Amino acid sequence: MEVVQVQNLGHDHPLMLIKAEETEAVWDLSCYGCEQPISILSSSSSSYYGCKRCTFFLHKSCAEIPHQMIHPCHPQHPLTLLPNPPSAGHYCDVCKKFKGHYCDVCTQYCNRFIYRCYDCNFDIDLKCALEVLGIQLSIDHPSHDPQLIPLQKESMFLCDACGTEHKGTSYLCTTCGFWINQKCAASPLTLKLNNHPHTLTLNYLVPQEEFHRHSHEEPKCQVCHRRNLELKCQICPLTIYRRNWAYYCSECNYLAHLHCAVSNETENQSHDLSLNPSNLSSSNSATATSDADQHKVIHLPVPDDSADIITQFIKNTAIQGKHEGAAEIKYGSHRHPLTLYEEPIDHASSHFDVAWNVQKCCGCAQSISAPFYCCVECEFYLHVWCAELPEELPHPAHPQHTLSLTTNRCAKCTCCNLFASTLLYECKECDFYLDCKCASLPRVIKHEGHDKHTLALRPTPFSGTCISCSASLTISFECGGCKFNLCVRCAILPRTVRHRYDKHPFTLTYTPLPYRTDDDFCEICEDGIDSNRWFYHCGECDQYLHTDCILPVDQFSNMVYNVWNPINSRKHPHRLIGVAAHPNTSCSRCKRTIAADNYYRCLPCKFCLCNFCAVSDAEYSALQLFSFLFLAILYFVDCINFCGFRVICLPVPDDSADIITQFIKNTAIQGKHEGAAEIKHGSHDHPLTLYEEPIDHASSHFNVAWNFQKCCGCAQTISAPFYCCLECEFYLHVWCAKLPEELRHPAHRRHALSLNTTHVVKCTCCSLIGNIFFYECEECDFYIDCKCASLPRVIEHESHDKHPLALRPAPFSSTTCKSCSASLRISFKCRGCEFNLCVRCAILPCTVQHRCDIHPLTLTYSPCPDRTDGDFCKICEEGIDSNRWFYHCEECDQYLHTDCILPVDQFSNMVYNDWKPINSRKHPHLLILGGPDPNTSCSLCKRSNADDLYLCPPCDFYLCDPCEEKEIEGEI
């Protein structure tokens, strides 16, 4: 007899037994003891303990565990149950999360129930305790005479009830090896389906008479003269084996698979059509043997746009454990090994795409998220599940041949019609391509827009159109009986979406609304709504949105340029990639046929550029840079003298000029090395050789992979003339090699600053940590990098045309930048007007280009009288503050934050060429070897260590030698 009330150590109030039908939808059903979800099956016998007043819940097994137990790992003393660990835990400096007490058996942290021996300070978490208690407390199940032992430890096995592979908790008979999963064990004894008039009974063995009846009714085969003795499920047409459980109606001989019947009943009761990962195919090859394979049906649409449904599909296609969590793998055509990163990316302090915070996976073109593999040198990122995709894949859209995975190709996907540089499945014989996202789509779905039948993924005749958007189809989800076709994009549209136009969610609407008029229009494009197509609607505000407007198709969503060495052209707004020669292609600029040479192409736009025109583009860019430098020289000559310094007029016209490099050149001592072919510099152990020609990246050993080698002096892109040590890949601009050994600076007038070329320090001016050339005053602990030290002493700025601005130290009180409101330590200041400008805002260009607009955007100073509060940034979609500077396009009325279009790269002053960096699985950034520091402790083992440490300076992460060795050996 079940106990209806218990008193548990973890809660002050009595806990009542709650049945499945008493559960309220608003409850968060997670067990306080084991921190696992409490599953409510359709069976009325499913129950748990809880306090409804406090929404405190426990699994039935967790609530009834004994207060004392003997564990085989600690047999000398009994263990006592505690509702919480004896210590409060600690805050982890590595993952930045609070960690509780740890279990002495599995070494995992536990924050809830724990068994403890006070004499020995021995602790065991609830999961480890339940593994032993489950063996001691076997259960009776009507399907099997010997008692079954509940196994709490997850394992992969073939369930004897449903006949499918299962991973998770289970019940086992140690006598005969009978093994069933928990879900099958909790199946109800009887079921009532809406589409069947009688009650079905759970049979643990299909009745023998059903097979005899079937053998007489089935006609003989005309070839082999045998009868088909297979029984078919009445819900799905797949075979029912007599050894597996099934639901049976003796009145009308109705048979159904165990899971088909339970899923059908659950669907009829709850009408929950959300994506259920447990219903996804567990097959590693992700193939479907039948279009109507109902027990693998995915229910769409998903509830809202927060779910990453595409990633979930790819995960189910991947071969789990293909690389077995290897810390380093060699993948496909990538020439470097890939390192595994298991922690989420902290974009605020990370080098992983610091500029945009949306780094793409080179496999699926989705945003990168942990765990992932990475080559830091090439900025190549790959999800773990994308790295585990199968090499070959049968697909229902191309049943003639098996598709092969290709990792280094640009092609057009036959399914979504988007050009992709991601992982593709191809059939070379038929010129058929599928990107990995379309190849991972489920083979069978059930959609709310067509709830009569399931939809199967199939090739579509040329006359087929999508019922939602009327697009012509090549591959679609099809219901053959109803002639219902749905394109893959419309199939995965979420049920609800949100938009800034409305505080309520918009709901996907399939059929015409009875009260809708022809005057209804889309709030985004203001065009009319076609009631024959799907649209989004807010019933409370009676507002409409086209599906294409709120969720538009990004023609470049499948393009990842990391490994393709793209170029920019002033004749085309998109990036161009190098492709093989094609005789039927002509250059879009000079119209000449490209027959022999490789050329550059924008795949989505079909824009082509021959090598000759591409070189002309590069020469034009160089001419633009020369023109700017010439104008800058005129500025230096024509502008007035102020306090003995030449006044520089800012802002510069656009972002094409390398203004920082020009400032460093002006600081350098002209003729210091007199063009020596080889010099010895204090920043490096080996002699440096002079290179006077520009780098030909196409046939050069100079960073062939990326064409962006950094100078070890200023961290700017290397350009000729420069000094180089090929052995160490150490590069140094000629003007950086000529920087003076001592420098007087207006931000630190008390002492002269000395040039330091070997330390990692934080710049007082820009607050960036780096290992480039710094000027320092050791006596005052004052540091300024060579870029900030080379800034002009006096400038004139268009935003404050009354007076010149001088570079001066700023007081620590309340001094803030006029542009970005940042706190200042060094700024360009007009003392009479109390006008302060940080060095970053001072060098912002007057105009910038961005892919969101065909026109240049102009820097606009605060305040802007004609701006409204509804304006927002095109990149981050946050509001525009008229009291701060921003970029604006008057023709398109578009806005951009200065921080969004020209963000601060926290790692811009870090150059790893000569520092022999290492990768760590416990930290997402490169680590460099630092000197001994007795006041520093390892971030992993917490031990103070005076020896050399590996460190990430921007993050203050430290790794001692023992931990680094253990990590290599796989011990941590």
Side-chain angles (χ1 to χ4, degrees), residues 486-769:
L486 194 61
C487 71
V488 294
R489 176 179 170 269
C490 294
I492 61 175
L493 288 172
R495 181 185 287 111
T496 61
V497 294
R498 288 193 172 273
H499 196 270
R500 62 180 178 273
Y501 286 142
D502 201 314
K503 62 181 180 180
H504 310 110
F506 286 80
T507 305
L508 186 61
T509 307
Y510 313 113
T511 56
L513 298 174
Y515 54 84
R516 209 193 68 72
T517 65
D518 293 334
D519 295 332
D520 296 326
F521 61 92
C522 173
E523 294 293 332
I524 296 178
C525 67
E526 297 187 354
D527 285 338
I529 295 292
D530 184 355
S531 59
N532 294 319
R533 299 186 181 183
W534 293 3
F535 54 89
Y536 282 97
H537 179 232
C538 173
E540 298 191 38
C541 304
D542 196 27
Q543 295 199 113
Y544 299 83
L545 293 177
H546 290 134
T547 58
D548 290 334
C549 290
I550 195 169
L551 297 171
V553 177
D554 183 359
Q555 297 295 327
F556 290 81
S557 60
N558 282 356
M559 295 298 297
V560 181
Y561 296 101
N562 301 39
V563 296
W564 289 91
N565 300 332
I567 66 168
N568 291 314
S569 170
R570 64 189 180 94
K571 293 295 183 182
H572 192 70
H574 309 143
R575 283 181 165 185
L576 309 179
I577 61 174
V579 293
H582 195 286
N584 299 324
T585 304
S586 60
C587 176
S588 300
R589 185 176 176 185
C590 65
K591 307 303 179 183
R592 288 179 296 187
T593 302
I594 306 170
D597 296 334
N598 296 342
Y599 63 101
Y600 293 95
R601 186 179 185 187
C602 173
L603 295 177
C605 302
K606 298 181 180 180
F607 178 88
C608 302
L609 199 65
C610 65
N611 282 329
F612 177 80
C613 292
V615 171
S616 300
D617 255 2
E619 291 175 351
Y620 179 82
S621 299
L623 180 61
Q624 277 190 319
L625 177 60
F626 174 79
S627 300
F628 164 76
L629 294 178
F630 179 75
L631 290 175
I633 293 172
L634 293 180
Y635 272 122
F636 299 153
V637 173
D638 294 339
C639 290
I640 62 171
N641 285 330
F642 182 84
C643 300
F645 298 103
R646 295 289 184 183
V647 177
I648 307 298
C649 295
L650 296 175
V652 290
D654 53 50
D655 55 350
S656 64
D658 189 356
I659 187 172
I660 289 293
T661 298
Q662 185 60 44
F663 290 156
I664 297 175
K665 287 182 180 180
N666 295 332
T667 306
I669 302 174
Q670 302 301 321
K672 180 179 178 181
H673 297 293
E674 297 180 356
E678 188 174 272
I679 64 169
K680 189 72 176 69
H681 197 271
S683 60
H684 195 67
D685 296 334
H686 306 133
L688 305 179
T689 304
L690 178 64
Y691 289 85
E692 296 180 337
E693 297 297 326
I695 304 174
D696 179 11
H697 292 294
S699 60
S700 167
H701 56 267
F702 291 116
N703 193 31
V704 176
W706 287 111
N707 300 356
F708 290 108
Q709 186 59 51
K710 280 187 174 184
C711 168
C712 296
C714 63
Q716 302 290 97
T717 304
I718 201 68
S719 57
F722 63 96
Y723 288 102
C724 173
C725 172
L726 292 179
E727 179 181 351
C728 305
E729 296 186 10
F730 181 91
Y731 305 90
L732 196 64
H733 286 131
V734 166
W735 43 89
C736 291
K738 294 179 179 180
L739 286 172
E741 298 297 325
E742 286 192 352
L743 186 72
R744 288 281 180 179
H745 198 273
H748 190 76
R749 298 183 182 276
R750 285 175 289 179
H751 310 105
L753 306 179
S754 302
L755 182 65
N756 191 310
T757 60
T758 58
H759 285 179
V760 180
V761 292
K762 184 176 183 179
C763 176
T764 308
C765 182
C766 63
S767 297
L768 296 179
I769 297 177

Side-chain angles (χ1 to χ4, degrees), residues 32-174:
Y32 177 84
C34 62
E35 301 182 74
Q36 298 299 315
I38 299 175
S39 62
I40 303 299
L41 301 175
S42 57
S43 171
S44 59
S45 61
S46 298
S47 56
Y48 54 97
Y49 284 101
C51 174
K52 299 180 182 180
R53 178 171 52 175
C54 306
T55 61
F56 176 93
F57 304 106
L58 289 173
H59 286 118
K60 197 167 181 292
S61 58
C62 295
E64 295 175 351
I65 56 176
H67 283 233
Q68 282 195 335
M69 69 169 294
I70 298 293
H71 198 279
C73 292
H74 191 74
Q76 53 268 43
H77 303 111
L79 305 178
T80 304
L81 178 64
L82 300 177
N84 293 293
S87 62
H90 69 281
Y91 184 80
C92 179
D93 292 329
V94 179
C95 65
K96 308 300 182 185
K97 294 181 180 179
F98 186 82
K99 296 293 186 179
H101 212 68
Y102 67 91
C103 172
D104 287 311
V105 176
C106 64
T107 69
Q108 299 296 318
Y109 287 98
C110 52
N111 299 317
R112 303 289 173 80
F113 285 12
I114 192 170
Y115 278 96
R116 178 173 178 79
C117 174
Y118 283 99
D119 296 333
C120 308
N121 289 331
F122 187 87
D123 302 300
I124 295 178
D125 62 18
L126 188 60
K127 183 179 180 181
C128 294
L130 286 175
E131 291 177 6
V132 175
L133 292 172
I135 297 174
Q136 297 172 355
L137 302 173
S138 55
I139 66 167
D140 291 315
H141 197 275
S143 66
H144 203 68
D145 287 337
Q147 287 188 324
L148 303 180
I149 296 172
L151 301 180
Q152 298 295 329
K153 183 177 290 186
E154 292 187 355
S155 54
M156 178 69 76
F157 66 98
L158 186 67
C159 177
D160 289 317
C162 60
T164 60
E165 282 191 349
H166 174 78
K167 182 179 181 181
T169 54
S170 56
Y171 294 96
L172 175 67
C173 174
T174 56

